[in-house]
Every structure is written in structure tokens, then in C-alpha cells.
Amino acid sequence: MTVGSFVDVLDKQDTTKAKYFNVSPVQPEKVKTFEVGFRGKFWKRIYVDAGYYFNYYRDFIGYKLGVDAQFNNLNKLDYYQVYRVAANAGDRVTTQGFSMNANYYFKKYFVLGGNYSWNRLNQFKKVDSVPIIPAYNTPENKFNISIGGRDFEGKLFNIMNLKGWAFNFNYKWVQGFTFEGSPQFTGYVPTYSSLDGQINYTYTKWETTFKAGVSNMLNTQFFQVYGGPYTGRLAYASVLVDIKKHK
């Protein structure tokens, strides 16, 4: 029976409120896609890569929730089991999205970059007796802003030699969205953001690169999957040796 009618049965203690449904065997999902994009360079310093897509689905695969329940002669619940069943949508389902990435190179050593993406799922018709749960699990809006530098020359304050040093910092923002997993792992993932940073130093004499960085530098507590763990600050370091050049 449907989850909604199961709740009605429990509330009203009336098994006639139960509504039953069947799920047909799952068919392969079919999709037709339209895409258009642009990639170009402006004023020798700005690089842009942008694109838009529109997908039209037939037999979109999501899932439905149902309850197998048994009641006694007094309409009291003896047993129930909730099932998550894969199913094709009878609804017309489309998705569309847009993304853009841009980099600005300046002062010979630096690059300022950013990207933005927008994604949306649409269901235009409502023909399914039991609505399908699409489990799209994609935030509608998100963006990144980054700044980095490498291939430096000269010294910092006439003291520190900058040759071999590089850095990159990135700020990420993700809009909150409804995450649809199994029944117990369906809920809202709040909007979150994080700041990451990394510094590299390459010692050419040894053909060795030293890296150190921190993910989520501000230790913002967030989770990306409903029911999943919180993400905190993570520091790391690595040493990369080019063995071929040592031979």
C-alpha cells in the first residue's frame, strides 16, 4: 500500500483507507540531450568555457515507497515492512543546467578563477498514481572562486627567494537541497561553504616538490549527504619525487 494511506489507516484505525499499487518491471532509461557551449579567449588574459544542456527522459528511473502491512480483526497493526522499489516514471521528466568557468591571468604569475553551475530537474505532468521519487540529489546553485600563483621570480622583501614556490586558495559555496536516499536517509542538506588552501615548493636540484595544505580551513561543520558525517578541517602534506629525472 502507499505510505500516505498506511498513515491514514493508523490514524483512523480503518483498513478501508488503504490504497494499493503495483510496480511494473523496470525498463531501460532513455534520454535525448541538447547541448550548446562556448570556449574562447578575451584580451589575451581571460579564458571562458560555458555550456548549457537540456535532457528529455523517457522511463526515467527513480523509486517508489510502499508498505507491506498486516492487520488483525480489530484493525490493529500486527506487522509492517517498508520497501524502496526502483520504478520508471510515467511523468515527463526533464533536466537542464548551465555552467561557466572563467580564468583571468594577471601580473604574469597570478590567476583568478571562478566557476558557477545551475542544475534543475522538472516534472511537467503528474500521471503516476504514486509519485516517483527522482533522487536527483543535486544542488541547484553552486560556485567556486580561486586565486593562485606560480613560476615566480625575484625575492619577497629582498629576503626570501620566490623561485619554485606556488600557491592556490579556493572558496566553495553550495546551495542547500533535499537529499533523497533510503527512507531513513532522506532530508535537507543545508547550504554550506568552505575555504581550501595549498602551498607548494619545488626544489629543482632534487626534482622534488613539497606540498602542504588545509581543506576547510575555517573548520565549518557541514555534511554533503543526509545521514552522513560532518566534514571538518583536514590538513595534509606530501613529497613528490620525479624518479625519472634522477636517473
Side-chain angles (χ1 to χ4, degrees), residues 206-228:
W206 294 352
E207 298 296 345
T208 301
T209 300
F210 302 88
K211 296 182 180 181
V214 181
S215 297
N216 193 11
M217 297 174 63
L218 303 179
N219 199 30
T220 305
Q221 299 293 305
F222 61 88
F223 56 91
Q224 298 170 294
V225 176
Y226 189 82

PDB file of all heavy atoms in Angstrom, residues 206-228:
ATOM      1  N   TRP A 206      66.796  18.673  -6.536  1.00  0.00           N
ATOM      2  CA  TRP A 206      66.399  17.307  -6.173  1.00  0.00           C
ATOM      3  C   TRP A 206      65.237  16.802  -7.017  1.00  0.00           C
ATOM      4  O   TRP A 206      64.805  15.660  -6.855  1.00  0.00           O
ATOM      5  CB  TRP A 206      65.980  17.256  -4.708  1.00  0.00           C
ATOM      6  CG  TRP A 206      67.079  17.530  -3.736  1.00  0.00           C
ATOM      7  CD1 TRP A 206      68.410  17.670  -3.979  1.00  0.00           C
ATOM      8  CD2 TRP A 206      66.913  17.700  -2.321  1.00  0.00           C
ATOM      9  NE1 TRP A 206      69.101  17.915  -2.837  1.00  0.00           N
ATOM     10  CE2 TRP A 206      68.203  17.935  -1.782  1.00  0.00           C
ATOM     11  CE3 TRP A 206      65.822  17.676  -1.450  1.00  0.00           C
ATOM     12  CZ2 TRP A 206      68.419  18.142  -0.434  1.00  0.00           C
ATOM     13  CZ3 TRP A 206      66.034  17.884  -0.106  1.00  0.00           C
ATOM     14  CH2 TRP A 206      67.316  18.123   0.397  1.00  0.00           C
ATOM     15  N   GLU A 207      64.700  17.648  -7.914  1.00  0.00           N
ATOM     16  CA  GLU A 207      63.492  17.302  -8.682  1.00  0.00           C
ATOM     17  C   GLU A 207      62.387  16.831  -7.735  1.00  0.00           C
ATOM     18  O   GLU A 207      61.723  15.820  -7.970  1.00  0.00           O
ATOM     19  CB  GLU A 207      63.808  16.220  -9.721  1.00  0.00           C
ATOM     20  CG  GLU A 207      64.830  16.631 -10.759  1.00  0.00           C
ATOM     21  CD  GLU A 207      64.358  17.786 -11.640  1.00  0.00           C
ATOM     22  OE1 GLU A 207      63.144  18.069 -11.633  1.00  0.00           O
ATOM     23  OE2 GLU A 207      65.210  18.413 -12.298  1.00  0.00           O
ATOM     24  N   THR A 208      62.196  17.585  -6.676  1.00  0.00           N
ATOM     25  CA  THR A 208      61.258  17.199  -5.624  1.00  0.00           C
ATOM     26  C   THR A 208      60.312  18.361  -5.320  1.00  0.00           C
ATOM     27  O   THR A 208      60.747  19.521  -5.252  1.00  0.00           O
ATOM     28  CB  THR A 208      62.007  16.811  -4.342  1.00  0.00           C
ATOM     29  OG1 THR A 208      62.885  15.722  -4.635  1.00  0.00           O
ATOM     30  CG2 THR A 208      61.037  16.395  -3.241  1.00  0.00           C
ATOM     31  N   THR A 209      59.026  18.037  -5.154  1.00  0.00           N
ATOM     32  CA  THR A 209      58.011  19.040  -4.823  1.00  0.00           C
ATOM     33  C   THR A 209      57.425  18.736  -3.451  1.00  0.00           C
ATOM     34  O   THR A 209      56.971  17.611  -3.195  1.00  0.00           O
ATOM     35  CB  THR A 209      56.883  19.068  -5.876  1.00  0.00           C
ATOM     36  OG1 THR A 209      57.438  19.385  -7.149  1.00  0.00           O
ATOM     37  CG2 THR A 209      55.832  20.094  -5.516  1.00  0.00           C
ATOM     38  N   PHE A 210      57.422  19.718  -2.599  1.00  0.00           N
ATOM     39  CA  PHE A 210      56.835  19.608  -1.269  1.00  0.00           C
ATOM     40  C   PHE A 210      55.487  20.334  -1.270  1.00  0.00           C
ATOM     41  O   PHE A 210      55.398  21.472  -1.737  1.00  0.00           O
ATOM     42  CB  PHE A 210      57.759  20.232  -0.215  1.00  0.00           C
ATOM     43  CG  PHE A 210      59.131  19.621  -0.168  1.00  0.00           C
ATOM     44  CD1 PHE A 210      60.159  20.103  -0.980  1.00  0.00           C
ATOM     45  CD2 PHE A 210      59.389  18.551   0.680  1.00  0.00           C
ATOM     46  CE1 PHE A 210      61.425  19.543  -0.936  1.00  0.00           C
ATOM     47  CE2 PHE A 210      60.654  17.981   0.729  1.00  0.00           C
ATOM     48  CZ  PHE A 210      61.672  18.479  -0.080  1.00  0.00           C
ATOM     49  N   LYS A 211      54.469  19.670  -0.752  1.00  0.00           N
ATOM     50  CA  LYS A 211      53.136  20.257  -0.723  1.00  0.00           C
ATOM     51  C   LYS A 211      52.585  20.230   0.696  1.00  0.00           C
ATOM     52  O   LYS A 211      52.779  19.268   1.429  1.00  0.00           O
ATOM     53  CB  LYS A 211      52.174  19.488  -1.631  1.00  0.00           C
ATOM     54  CG  LYS A 211      52.514  19.526  -3.114  1.00  0.00           C
ATOM     55  CD  LYS A 211      51.467  18.786  -3.925  1.00  0.00           C
ATOM     56  CE  LYS A 211      51.793  18.826  -5.411  1.00  0.00           C
ATOM     57  NZ  LYS A 211      50.757  18.118  -6.219  1.00  0.00           N
ATOM     58  N   ALA A 212      51.869  21.302   1.050  1.00  0.00           N
ATOM     59  CA  ALA A 212      51.161  21.365   2.332  1.00  0.00           C
ATOM     60  C   ALA A 212      49.869  22.130   2.113  1.00  0.00           C
ATOM     61  O   ALA A 212      49.844  23.142   1.393  1.00  0.00           O
ATOM     62  CB  ALA A 212      52.015  22.043   3.396  1.00  0.00           C
ATOM     63  N   GLY A 213      48.810  21.663   2.716  1.00  0.00           N
ATOM     64  CA  GLY A 213      47.527  22.326   2.509  1.00  0.00           C
ATOM     65  C   GLY A 213      46.532  22.014   3.599  1.00  0.00           C
ATOM     66  O   GLY A 213      46.744  21.130   4.442  1.00  0.00           O
ATOM     67  N   VAL A 214      45.425  22.744   3.554  1.00  0.00           N
ATOM     68  CA  VAL A 214      44.334  22.561   4.507  1.00  0.00           C
ATOM     69  C   VAL A 214      43.006  22.630   3.761  1.00  0.00           C
ATOM     70  O   VAL A 214      42.753  23.591   3.019  1.00  0.00           O
ATOM     71  CB  VAL A 214      44.351  23.637   5.614  1.00  0.00           C
ATOM     72  CG1 VAL A 214      43.207  23.406   6.597  1.00  0.00           C
ATOM     73  CG2 VAL A 214      45.684  23.648   6.344  1.00  0.00           C
ATOM     74  N   SER A 215      42.180  21.620   3.916  1.00  0.00           N
ATOM     75  CA  SER A 215      40.815  21.648   3.409  1.00  0.00           C
ATOM     76  C   SER A 215      39.887  22.150   4.506  1.00  0.00           C
ATOM     77  O   SER A 215      40.046  21.777   5.669  1.00  0.00           O
ATOM     78  CB  SER A 215      40.379  20.244   2.962  1.00  0.00           C
ATOM     79  OG  SER A 215      41.177  19.776   1.904  1.00  0.00           O
ATOM     80  N   ASN A 216      38.942  22.993   4.129  1.00  0.00           N
ATOM     81  CA  ASN A 216      38.006  23.579   5.091  1.00  0.00           C
ATOM     82  C   ASN A 216      38.786  24.310   6.196  1.00  0.00           C
ATOM     83  O   ASN A 216      38.682  23.997   7.383  1.00  0.00           O
ATOM     84  CB  ASN A 216      37.089  22.505   5.681  1.00  0.00           C
ATOM     85  CG  ASN A 216      35.917  23.078   6.441  1.00  0.00           C
ATOM     86  OD1 ASN A 216      35.638  24.284   6.377  1.00  0.00           O
ATOM     87  ND2 ASN A 216      35.226  22.239   7.182  1.00  0.00           N
ATOM     88  N   MET A 217      39.569  25.282   5.795  1.00  0.00           N
ATOM     89  CA  MET A 217      40.461  25.996   6.705  1.00  0.00           C
ATOM     90  C   MET A 217      39.728  26.615   7.900  1.00  0.00           C
ATOM     91  O   MET A 217      40.271  26.686   9.008  1.00  0.00           O
ATOM     92  CB  MET A 217      41.216  27.095   5.951  1.00  0.00           C
ATOM     93  CG  MET A 217      42.120  26.580   4.859  1.00  0.00           C
ATOM     94  SD  MET A 217      42.873  27.903   3.873  1.00  0.00           S
ATOM     95  CE  MET A 217      43.853  28.723   5.113  1.00  0.00           C
ATOM     96  N   LEU A 218      38.503  27.084   7.683  1.00  0.00           N
ATOM     97  CA  LEU A 218      37.754  27.751   8.747  1.00  0.00           C
ATOM     98  C   LEU A 218      37.006  26.765   9.635  1.00  0.00           C
ATOM     99  O   LEU A 218      36.267  27.174  10.536  1.00  0.00           O
ATOM    100  CB  LEU A 218      36.774  28.760   8.138  1.00  0.00           C
ATOM    101  CG  LEU A 218      37.410  29.831   7.236  1.00  0.00           C
ATOM    102  CD1 LEU A 218      36.347  30.754   6.680  1.00  0.00           C
ATOM    103  CD2 LEU A 218      38.472  30.616   7.991  1.00  0.00           C
ATOM    104  N   ASN A 219      37.178  25.463   9.348  1.00  0.00           N
ATOM    105  CA  ASN A 219      36.557  24.394  10.144  1.00  0.00           C
ATOM    106  C   ASN A 219      35.040  24.549  10.220  1.00  0.00           C
ATOM    107  O   ASN A 219      34.416  24.361  11.276  1.00  0.00           O
ATOM    108  CB  ASN A 219      37.144  24.354  11.556  1.00  0.00           C
ATOM    109  CG  ASN A 219      36.894  23.019  12.238  1.00  0.00           C
ATOM    110  OD1 ASN A 219      36.797  21.976  11.589  1.00  0.00           O
ATOM    111  ND2 ASN A 219      36.782  23.047  13.556  1.00  0.00           N
ATOM    112  N   THR A 220      34.436  24.914   9.093  1.00  0.00           N
ATOM    113  CA  THR A 220      32.980  24.997   9.009  1.00  0.00           C
ATOM    114  C   THR A 220      32.399  23.588   9.028  1.00  0.00           C
ATOM    115  O   THR A 220      32.756  22.760   8.189  1.00  0.00           O
ATOM    116  CB  THR A 220      32.557  25.714   7.716  1.00  0.00           C
ATOM    117  OG1 THR A 220      33.194  26.990   7.656  1.00  0.00           O
ATOM    118  CG2 THR A 220      31.054  25.892   7.670  1.00  0.00           C
ATOM    119  N   GLN A 221      31.509  23.311   9.954  1.00  0.00           N
ATOM    120  CA  GLN A 221      30.925  21.975  10.073  1.00  0.00           C
ATOM    121  C   GLN A 221      29.744  21.837   9.107  1.00  0.00           C
ATOM    122  O   GLN A 221      28.767  22.573   9.199  1.00  0.00           O
ATOM    123  CB  GLN A 221      30.462  21.723  11.501  1.00  0.00           C
ATOM    124  CG  GLN A 221      31.576  21.788  12.538  1.00  0.00           C
ATOM    125  CD  GLN A 221      32.574  20.657  12.381  1.00  0.00           C
ATOM    126  OE1 GLN A 221      32.210  19.481  12.372  1.00  0.00           O
ATOM    127  NE2 GLN A 221      33.846  21.013  12.253  1.00  0.00           N
ATOM    128  N   PHE A 222      29.844  20.896   8.184  1.00  0.00           N
ATOM    129  CA  PHE A 222      28.758  20.684   7.222  1.00  0.00           C
ATOM    130  C   PHE A 222      28.761  19.223   6.796  1.00  0.00           C
ATOM    131  O   PHE A 222      29.738  18.494   6.989  1.00  0.00           O
ATOM    132  CB  PHE A 222      28.906  21.591   5.999  1.00  0.00           C
ATOM    133  CG  PHE A 222      30.166  21.371   5.199  1.00  0.00           C
ATOM    134  CD1 PHE A 222      30.211  20.424   4.179  1.00  0.00           C
ATOM    135  CD2 PHE A 222      31.307  22.119   5.463  1.00  0.00           C
ATOM    136  CE1 PHE A 222      31.366  20.206   3.451  1.00  0.00           C
ATOM    137  CE2 PHE A 222      32.479  21.913   4.732  1.00  0.00           C
ATOM    138  CZ  PHE A 222      32.507  20.967   3.724  1.00  0.00           C
ATOM    139  N   PHE A 223      27.642  18.791   6.223  1.00  0.00           N
ATOM    140  CA  PHE A 223      27.562  17.445   5.653  1.00  0.00           C
ATOM    141  C   PHE A 223      27.018  17.555   4.243  1.00  0.00           C
ATOM    142  O   PHE A 223      26.236  18.443   3.924  1.00  0.00           O
ATOM    143  CB  PHE A 223      26.716  16.498   6.521  1.00  0.00           C
ATOM    144  CG  PHE A 223      25.316  16.970   6.791  1.00  0.00           C
ATOM    145  CD1 PHE A 223      24.269  16.621   5.945  1.00  0.00           C
ATOM    146  CD2 PHE A 223      25.028  17.749   7.908  1.00  0.00           C
ATOM    147  CE1 PHE A 223      22.972  17.046   6.191  1.00  0.00           C
ATOM    148  CE2 PHE A 223      23.740  18.178   8.172  1.00  0.00           C
ATOM    149  CZ  PHE A 223      22.702  17.828   7.312  1.00  0.00           C
ATOM    150  N   GLN A 224      27.459  16.644   3.372  1.00  0.00           N
ATOM    151  CA  GLN A 224      27.105  16.678   1.960  1.00  0.00           C
ATOM    152  C   GLN A 224      26.049  15.649   1.589  1.00  0.00           C
ATOM    153  O   GLN A 224      25.473  15.712   0.502  1.00  0.00           O
ATOM    154  CB  GLN A 224      28.365  16.454   1.120  1.00  0.00           C
ATOM    155  CG  GLN A 224      29.416  17.538   1.329  1.00  0.00           C
ATOM    156  CD  GLN A 224      30.744  17.197   0.682  1.00  0.00           C
ATOM    157  OE1 GLN A 224      31.419  16.255   1.093  1.00  0.00           O
ATOM    158  NE2 GLN A 224      31.131  17.944  -0.338  1.00  0.00           N
ATOM    159  N   VAL A 225      25.817  14.679   2.469  1.00  0.00           N
ATOM    160  CA  VAL A 225      24.821  13.635   2.268  1.00  0.00           C
ATOM    161  C   VAL A 225      23.987  13.534   3.533  1.00  0.00           C
ATOM    162  O   VAL A 225      24.547  13.468   4.640  1.00  0.00           O
ATOM    163  CB  VAL A 225      25.490  12.270   1.965  1.00  0.00           C
ATOM    164  CG1 VAL A 225      24.446  11.172   1.861  1.00  0.00           C
ATOM    165  CG2 VAL A 225      26.321  12.359   0.698  1.00  0.00           C
ATOM    166  N   TYR A 226      22.652  13.535   3.394  1.00  0.00           N
ATOM    167  CA  TYR A 226      21.815  13.440   4.579  1.00  0.00           C
ATOM    168  C   TYR A 226      22.030  12.089   5.268  1.00  0.00           C
ATOM    169  O   TYR A 226      21.962  11.038   4.636  1.00  0.00           O
ATOM    170  CB  TYR A 226      20.334  13.580   4.205  1.00  0.00           C
ATOM    171  CG  TYR A 226      19.440  13.707   5.419  1.00  0.00           C
ATOM    172  CD1 TYR A 226      19.271  14.932   6.047  1.00  0.00           C
ATOM    173  CD2 TYR A 226      18.789  12.599   5.948  1.00  0.00           C
ATOM    174  CE1 TYR A 226      18.460  15.061   7.167  1.00  0.00           C
ATOM    175  CE2 TYR A 226      17.989  12.710   7.065  1.00  0.00           C
ATOM    176  CZ  TYR A 226      17.836  13.944   7.674  1.00  0.00           C
ATOM    177  OH  TYR A 226      17.046  14.054   8.791  1.00  0.00           O
ATOM    178  N   GLY A 227      22.347  12.162   6.558  1.00  0.00           N
ATOM    179  CA  GLY A 227      22.679  10.951   7.298  1.00  0.00           C
ATOM    180  C   GLY A 227      24.160  10.652   7.313  1.00  0.00           C
ATOM    181  O   GLY A 227      24.605   9.734   8.005  1.00  0.00           O
ATOM    182  N   GLY A 228      24.930  11.435   6.548  1.00  0.00           N
ATOM    183  CA  GLY A 228      26.373  11.229   6.504  1.00  0.00           C
ATOM    184  C   GLY A 228      27.074  12.025   7.594  1.00  0.00           C
ATOM    185  O   GLY A 228      26.466  12.826   8.307  1.00  0.00           O
TER     186      GLY A 228
END
